Amino acid sequence: MSDHVYRLSEIVGSSTTSVDDAIRTAVRKASETVRHIEWFQTQEIRGQVVDGDVAYFQVTMKIGFRVED
């Protein structure tokens, strides 16, 4: 088993549905161009309120991906 090196990238996911959906959407989209994503870490959750109701969820997160040998 070899040691690995990881890199971090900060991304923001958004959704009108939920925090969970915002995270999943961001990870799926990032995985289209970033290989070897192995974990994520949420940094901040925020949202937009319109007319007294939640209109958008936004989640700032870091994704960790393995640097290729």
Side-chain angles (χ1 to χ4, degrees):
M1 176 179 244
S2 62
D3 294 332
H4 297 291
V5 174
Y6 294 89
R7 189 161 188 185
L8 295 174
S9 183
E10 187 171 84
I11 60 175
V12 178
S14 64
S15 171
T16 57
T17 307
S18 68
V19 169
D20 181 70
D21 190 54
I23 292 169
R24 291 177 187 280
T25 299
V27 170
R28 282 188 198 112
K29 188 65 175 175
S31 70
E32 291 176 10
T33 57
V34 178
R35 291 190 302 255
H36 308 300
I37 296 174
E38 295 193 5
W39 54 269
F40 70 90
Q41 172 183 337
T42 58
Q43 299 294 113
E44 180 180 27
I45 299 172
R46 61 183 177 274
Q48 179 185 21
V49 177
V50 176
D51 297 327
D53 200 5
V54 176
Y56 267 95
F57 299 91
Q58 291 183 326
V59 181
T60 302
M61 67 189 88
K62 291 184 179 180
I63 54 171
F65 55 96
R66 190 170 18 94
V67 175
E68 294 179 332
D69 295 331

XYZ file of all heavy atoms in Angstrom:
552
model
N 0.845 -1.175 0.000
C 0.000 0.000 0.000
C 0.896 1.246 0.000
O 1.825 1.343 0.787
C -0.894 -0.017 1.238
C -1.734 1.220 1.381
S -2.769 1.115 2.847
C -4.335 1.104 2.047
N 0.625 2.173 -0.883
C 1.454 3.374 -0.968
C 0.768 4.556 -0.297
O -0.447 4.582 -0.113
C 1.750 3.700 -2.428
O 0.549 3.977 -3.107
N 1.576 5.539 0.057
C 1.039 6.770 0.624
C 0.463 7.620 -0.499
O 0.875 7.509 -1.648
C 2.145 7.545 1.343
C 2.659 6.798 2.564
O 1.879 6.032 3.151
O 3.836 6.983 2.904
N -0.469 8.465 -0.160
C -1.110 9.318 -1.159
C -0.944 10.782 -0.786
O -0.763 11.129 0.377
C -2.611 9.016 -1.259
C -2.914 7.630 -1.723
N -2.655 7.200 -3.002
C -3.461 6.579 -1.078
C -3.037 5.938 -3.133
N -3.522 5.532 -1.960
N -1.038 11.623 -1.786
C -1.056 13.068 -1.599
C -2.412 13.559 -2.081
O -2.904 13.118 -3.128
C 0.081 13.746 -2.405
C -0.032 15.256 -2.327
C 1.434 13.286 -1.890
N -3.025 14.465 -1.334
C -4.339 14.973 -1.679
C -4.283 16.472 -1.912
O -3.437 17.170 -1.356
C -5.343 14.678 -0.561
C -5.599 13.209 -0.399
C -4.810 12.443 0.451
C -6.607 12.579 -1.109
C -5.026 11.085 0.590
C -6.832 11.216 -0.966
C -6.041 10.484 -0.113
O -6.253 9.137 0.019
N -5.200 16.932 -2.710
C -5.329 18.354 -2.974
C -6.748 18.765 -2.586
O -7.679 17.971 -2.653
C -5.090 18.608 -4.453
C -4.988 20.042 -4.789
C -4.313 20.210 -6.108
N -4.083 21.637 -6.243
C -3.605 22.198 -7.287
N -3.273 21.470 -8.331
N -3.429 23.486 -7.333
N -6.914 20.024 -2.184
C -8.220 20.542 -1.807
C -8.680 21.589 -2.812
O -7.879 22.366 -3.318
C -8.169 21.208 -0.433
C -7.873 20.323 0.752
C -7.716 21.175 2.007
C -8.970 19.307 0.935
N -9.967 21.604 -3.044
C -10.569 22.625 -3.889
C -11.870 23.055 -3.225
O -12.626 22.219 -2.728
C -10.844 22.057 -5.279
O -11.362 23.049 -6.124
N -12.124 24.348 -3.201
C -13.352 24.851 -2.589
C -14.401 25.068 -3.669
O -14.122 25.675 -4.704
C -13.076 26.163 -1.853
C -14.283 26.650 -1.062
C -13.935 27.831 -0.177
O -13.952 28.954 -0.701
O -13.653 27.606 1.009
N -15.608 24.551 -3.425
C -16.714 24.697 -4.357
C -17.962 25.103 -3.586
O -18.026 24.957 -2.363
C -16.976 23.397 -5.154
C -17.331 22.228 -4.228
C -15.781 23.047 -6.024
C -17.720 20.962 -4.961
N -18.953 25.611 -4.297
C -20.232 25.987 -3.688
C -21.343 25.331 -4.488
O -21.430 25.490 -5.707
C -20.438 27.518 -3.688
C -21.793 27.870 -3.087
C -19.324 28.212 -2.933
N -22.183 24.573 -3.799
C -23.349 23.959 -4.425
C -24.595 24.700 -4.013
O -24.673 25.230 -2.905
N -25.577 24.749 -4.909
C -26.834 25.405 -4.566
C -28.008 24.547 -5.013
O -27.896 23.734 -5.929
C -26.916 26.796 -5.205
O -26.928 26.691 -6.603
N -29.128 24.742 -4.332
C -30.334 23.973 -4.631
C -31.557 24.706 -4.098
O -31.481 25.362 -3.063
C -30.245 22.589 -3.983
O -31.472 21.901 -4.090
N -32.653 24.560 -4.780
C -33.924 25.079 -4.270
C -34.612 24.052 -3.376
O -35.577 24.368 -2.704
C -34.881 25.433 -5.436
O -35.074 24.271 -6.250
C -34.326 26.565 -6.278
N -34.058 22.823 -3.344
C -34.704 21.717 -2.632
C -34.200 21.525 -1.202
O -34.992 21.501 -0.261
C -34.493 20.401 -3.414
O -34.920 20.590 -4.759
C -35.264 19.268 -2.789
N -32.860 21.349 -1.048
C -32.328 21.031 0.278
C -30.814 21.204 0.315
O -30.158 21.301 -0.723
C -32.666 19.583 0.655
O -31.960 18.681 -0.181
N -30.273 21.184 1.520
C -28.824 21.205 1.716
C -28.210 19.941 1.114
O -27.185 19.991 0.430
C -28.475 21.328 3.216
C -27.002 21.092 3.464
C -28.903 22.679 3.755
N -28.830 18.810 1.360
C -28.356 17.540 0.821
C -28.254 17.594 -0.704
O -27.257 17.174 -1.284
C -29.292 16.411 1.257
C -28.842 15.061 0.740
O -27.815 14.548 1.225
O -29.516 14.526 -0.159
N -29.264 18.127 -1.335
C -29.269 18.233 -2.795
C -28.177 19.185 -3.279
O -27.532 18.927 -4.305
C -30.643 18.698 -3.293
C -30.771 18.594 -4.796
O -30.526 17.496 -5.340
O -31.112 19.605 -5.434
N -27.938 20.260 -2.558
C -26.873 21.196 -2.923
C -25.508 20.507 -2.871
O -24.669 20.696 -3.763
C -26.890 22.408 -1.995
N -25.275 19.695 -1.851
C -24.005 18.963 -1.721
C -23.851 17.960 -2.854
O -22.819 17.901 -3.528
C -23.917 18.254 -0.351
C -23.808 19.282 0.768
C -22.749 17.269 -0.322
C -23.982 18.704 2.154
N -24.884 17.164 -3.071
C -24.815 16.121 -4.097
C -24.637 16.711 -5.496
O -23.872 16.193 -6.310
C -26.051 15.232 -4.038
C -26.086 14.374 -2.797
C -27.362 13.527 -2.706
N -27.433 12.853 -1.435
C -26.781 11.731 -1.139
N -25.994 11.172 -2.038
N -26.899 11.182 0.045
N -25.328 17.808 -5.776
C -25.200 18.475 -7.071
C -23.780 18.975 -7.280
O -23.194 18.798 -8.361
C -26.196 19.645 -7.181
O -27.527 19.125 -7.058
C -26.067 20.382 -8.488
N -23.197 19.591 -6.258
C -21.836 20.116 -6.364
C -20.814 19.006 -6.567
O -19.924 19.124 -7.422
C -21.490 20.930 -5.113
N -20.930 17.921 -5.823
C -19.974 16.816 -5.947
C -20.100 16.157 -7.321
O -19.097 15.865 -7.976
C -20.160 15.784 -4.813
C -19.345 14.521 -5.066
C -19.785 16.398 -3.468
N -21.329 15.947 -7.784
C -21.523 15.342 -9.114
C -20.919 16.213 -10.214
O -20.250 15.712 -11.118
C -23.009 15.128 -9.390
C -23.589 13.930 -8.698
C -25.016 13.663 -9.160
N -25.680 12.808 -8.201
C -26.680 13.180 -7.418
N -27.174 14.400 -7.494
N -27.209 12.335 -6.567
N -21.181 17.513 -10.137
C -20.664 18.430 -11.157
C -19.132 18.476 -11.110
O -18.476 18.436 -12.155
C -21.249 19.821 -10.949
C -20.924 20.797 -12.047
C -21.562 20.372 -13.349
C -21.341 21.425 -14.421
N -21.855 20.992 -15.721
N -18.558 18.561 -9.927
C -17.100 18.595 -9.787
C -16.469 17.313 -10.322
O -15.398 17.352 -10.935
C -16.702 18.821 -8.334
N -17.133 16.178 -10.124
C -16.565 14.897 -10.558
C -16.536 14.759 -12.079
O -15.870 13.867 -12.606
C -17.315 13.719 -9.931
O -18.605 13.618 -10.481
N -17.207 15.661 -12.792
C -17.140 15.646 -14.253
C -15.767 16.101 -14.752
O -15.351 15.728 -15.848
C -18.223 16.549 -14.852
C -19.631 16.026 -14.659
C -20.685 16.988 -15.184
O -20.331 17.974 -15.863
O -21.876 16.751 -14.916
N -15.079 16.915 -13.968
C -13.780 17.442 -14.405
C -12.629 17.138 -13.444
O -11.476 17.311 -13.818
C -13.849 18.974 -14.609
O -14.282 19.582 -13.395
C -14.805 19.326 -15.730
N -12.938 16.694 -12.232
C -11.896 16.391 -11.245
C -11.918 14.890 -10.977
O -12.949 14.339 -10.589
C -12.128 17.165 -9.922
C -11.070 16.800 -8.892
C -12.160 18.663 -10.168
N -10.786 14.256 -11.171
C -10.702 12.812 -10.936
C -10.315 12.517 -9.494
O -9.681 13.330 -8.832
C -9.667 12.197 -11.881
C -10.084 12.202 -13.326
C -9.132 11.366 -14.158
N -7.762 11.830 -14.053
C -7.129 12.503 -15.002
N -7.739 12.810 -16.114
N -5.872 12.869 -14.837
N -10.678 11.353 -9.040
C -10.255 10.801 -7.743
C -10.767 11.611 -6.546
O -10.071 11.720 -5.529
C -8.739 10.664 -7.653
C -8.121 9.935 -8.799
N -8.443 8.634 -9.115
C -7.203 10.330 -9.721
C -7.749 8.257 -10.171
N -6.999 9.277 -10.559
N -11.972 12.175 -6.631
C -12.555 12.831 -5.450
C -12.852 11.742 -4.429
O -13.515 10.759 -4.741
C -13.839 13.601 -5.804
C -13.526 14.752 -6.769
C -14.510 14.133 -4.532
C -14.756 15.479 -7.279
N -12.357 11.930 -3.216
C -12.531 10.901 -2.194
C -13.302 11.373 -0.973
O -13.773 10.558 -0.198
C -11.160 10.347 -1.783
C -10.491 9.627 -2.936
C -9.304 8.803 -2.509
O -9.033 8.698 -1.301
O -8.642 8.255 -3.406
N -13.437 12.680 -0.762
C -14.171 13.155 0.410
C -14.553 14.614 0.227
O -14.071 15.290 -0.670
C -13.372 12.969 1.691
C -12.002 13.565 1.667
C -10.848 12.946 1.290
C -11.629 14.895 2.023
N -9.789 13.813 1.395
C -10.240 15.016 1.835
C -12.319 15.998 2.479
C -9.547 16.185 2.095
C -11.620 17.167 2.735
C -10.254 17.251 2.551
N -15.471 15.056 1.065
C -15.826 16.468 1.104
C -15.994 16.900 2.551
O -16.227 16.084 3.432
C -17.096 16.775 0.299
C -18.365 16.246 0.907
C -19.098 17.021 1.789
C -18.822 14.982 0.602
C -20.265 16.542 2.366
C -19.989 14.490 1.158
C -20.713 15.280 2.043
N -15.867 18.193 2.761
C -16.000 18.771 4.099
C -16.801 20.065 3.945
O -16.392 20.959 3.216
C -14.612 19.065 4.649
C -14.574 19.826 5.935
C -13.123 20.120 6.333
O -12.182 19.447 5.931
N -12.956 21.162 7.114
N -17.926 20.152 4.637
C -18.721 21.373 4.532
C -18.085 22.480 5.359
O -17.560 22.247 6.442
C -20.174 21.157 4.987
O -20.179 20.702 6.331
C -20.882 20.160 4.096
N -18.101 23.674 4.811
C -17.511 24.833 5.463
C -18.594 25.784 5.974
O -18.473 26.354 7.047
C -16.619 25.598 4.481
C -15.448 24.802 3.944
C -14.458 24.460 5.020
O -14.313 23.296 5.353
N -13.798 25.430 5.557
N -19.633 25.983 5.150
C -20.648 26.979 5.477
C -21.958 26.598 4.797
O -21.962 26.118 3.668
C -20.182 28.345 4.968
C -21.131 29.478 5.223
C -20.612 30.810 4.699
O -19.823 30.809 3.742
O -21.021 31.836 5.249
N -23.042 26.818 5.495
C -24.368 26.635 4.919
C -25.087 27.968 5.027
O -25.114 28.585 6.090
C -25.175 25.547 5.666
C -24.463 24.202 5.565
C -26.593 25.457 5.109
C -25.079 23.122 6.437
N -25.624 28.414 3.924
C -26.383 29.657 3.926
C -27.536 29.521 2.938
O -27.601 28.575 2.168
C -25.491 30.845 3.578
C -24.859 30.791 2.235
C -23.929 31.987 2.009
N -23.283 31.881 0.728
C -22.164 31.211 0.487
N -21.564 30.571 1.467
N -21.651 31.145 -0.713
N -28.425 30.483 2.967
C -29.564 30.423 2.064
C -30.126 31.793 1.776
O -29.739 32.787 2.382
N -31.032 31.803 0.845
C -31.711 33.028 0.465
C -33.172 32.908 0.876
O -33.817 31.884 0.645
C -31.619 33.242 -1.047
C -32.328 34.498 -1.514
C -32.331 34.612 -3.028
O -32.164 33.633 -3.739
N -32.545 35.818 -3.508
N -33.686 33.961 1.497
C -35.080 33.999 1.924
C -35.828 34.977 1.033
O -35.398 36.118 0.851
C -35.194 34.418 3.409
C -36.653 34.528 3.822
C -34.451 33.437 4.302
N -36.939 34.522 0.479
C -37.789 35.356 -0.363
C -39.220 35.245 0.152
O -39.745 34.139 0.299
C -37.718 34.914 -1.845
C -38.684 35.714 -2.700
C -36.304 35.027 -2.380
N -39.807 36.377 0.456
C -41.197 36.418 0.951
C -41.421 35.507 2.150
O -42.428 34.799 2.239
C -42.185 36.070 -0.172
C -42.163 37.073 -1.310
O -41.926 38.274 -1.035
O -42.371 36.663 -2.463
N -40.453 35.488 3.054
C -40.603 34.737 4.290
C -40.381 33.248 4.182
O -40.647 32.506 5.133
N -39.879 32.766 3.045
C -39.627 31.336 2.881
C -38.247 31.128 2.259
O -37.718 32.008 1.582
C -40.696 30.708 1.977
C -40.800 29.200 2.134
O -40.106 28.632 3.009
O -41.571 28.575 1.382
N -37.690 29.954 2.477
C -36.377 29.639 1.926
C -36.513 29.425 0.414
O -37.301 28.590 -0.033
C -35.770 28.372 2.583
C -34.458 28.004 1.926
C -35.590 28.589 4.070
N -35.724 30.189 -0.353
C -35.755 30.073 -1.807
C -34.580 29.243 -2.321
O -34.719 28.511 -3.302
C -35.731 31.454 -2.456
N -33.412 29.368 -1.683
C -32.210 28.654 -2.108
C -31.391 28.229 -0.907
O -31.332 28.944 0.078
C -31.302 29.552 -2.961
C -31.546 29.449 -4.433
C -32.381 30.351 -5.075
C -30.929 28.458 -5.191
C -32.614 30.269 -6.431
C -31.149 28.369 -6.550
C -31.989 29.267 -7.168
O -32.220 29.185 -8.509
N -30.779 27.071 -1.029
C -29.773 26.606 -0.086
C -28.429 26.680 -0.797
O -28.329 26.287 -1.963
C -30.022 25.153 0.322
C -31.336 24.926 1.013
C -32.475 24.599 0.282
C -31.429 25.027 2.387
C -33.688 24.374 0.918
C -32.638 24.798 3.032
C -33.764 24.485 2.293
N -27.396 27.161 -0.113
C -26.044 27.176 -0.654
C -25.103 26.557 0.378
O -25.176 26.885 1.557
C -25.573 28.594 -0.953
C -26.296 29.246 -2.110
C -25.745 30.618 -2.406
O -25.336 31.336 -1.506
N -25.724 30.981 -3.675
N -24.239 25.677 -0.104
C -23.284 25.003 0.768
C -21.878 25.198 0.202
O -21.598 24.815 -0.929
C -23.585 23.491 0.883
C -22.589 22.819 1.810
C -25.006 23.260 1.368
N -21.021 25.821 1.005
C -19.615 25.949 0.642
C -18.895 24.744 1.225
O -19.079 24.409 2.396
C -19.013 27.244 1.215
O -19.770 28.350 0.732
C -17.561 27.401 0.809
N -18.103 24.088 0.388
C -17.420 22.885 0.849
C -16.055 22.762 0.206
O -15.773 23.384 -0.818
C -18.258 21.643 0.547
C -18.395 21.350 -0.922
S -19.573 20.045 -1.266
C -21.038 21.023 -1.370
N -15.219 21.963 0.837
C -13.941 21.598 0.255
C -14.041 20.156 -0.186
O -14.606 19.329 0.529
C -12.804 21.755 1.262
C -12.514 23.194 1.595
C -11.330 23.319 2.506
C -11.060 24.784 2.794
N -9.912 24.958 3.688
N -13.525 19.890 -1.376
C -13.459 18.496 -1.841
C -11.992 18.089 -1.817
O -11.098 18.871 -2.142
C -14.069 18.302 -3.242
C -13.451 19.247 -4.266
C -15.574 18.426 -3.186
C -13.859 18.951 -5.701
N -11.756 16.858 -1.405
C -10.409 16.313 -1.379
C -10.263 15.296 -2.485
O -11.096 14.404 -2.620
N -9.233 15.468 -3.282
C -8.996 14.500 -4.358
C -7.533 14.108 -4.378
O -6.640 14.891 -4.057
C -9.460 15.027 -5.713
C -8.886 16.359 -6.121
C -7.779 16.442 -6.948
C -9.476 17.542 -5.662
C -7.281 17.676 -7.316
C -8.974 18.776 -6.042
C -7.865 18.829 -6.869
N -7.321 12.855 -4.751
C -5.983 12.274 -4.743
C -5.187 12.760 -5.946
O -5.672 12.744 -7.080
C -6.074 10.752 -4.759
C -4.789 10.040 -4.525
C -4.973 8.522 -4.306
N -6.239 7.968 -4.749
C -6.425 7.408 -5.948
N -5.462 7.331 -6.815
N -7.601 6.896 -6.259
N -3.965 13.199 -5.708
C -3.065 13.604 -6.779
C -2.501 12.334 -7.418
O -2.053 11.421 -6.712
C -1.918 14.490 -6.229
C -0.917 14.822 -7.326
C -2.489 15.753 -5.614
N -2.560 12.274 -8.743
C -2.085 11.084 -9.446
C -0.569 10.952 -9.352
O 0.149 11.945 -9.296
C -2.499 11.140 -10.911
C -3.995 11.067 -11.107
C -4.389 11.142 -12.572
O -3.646 11.746 -13.372
O -5.453 10.606 -12.895
N -0.140 9.698 -9.336
C 1.309 9.410 -9.283
C 1.974 9.756 -10.589
O 1.453 9.684 -11.640
C 1.548 7.931 -8.969
C 1.030 7.587 -7.567
O 1.026 8.475 -6.714
O 0.634 6.422 -7.363
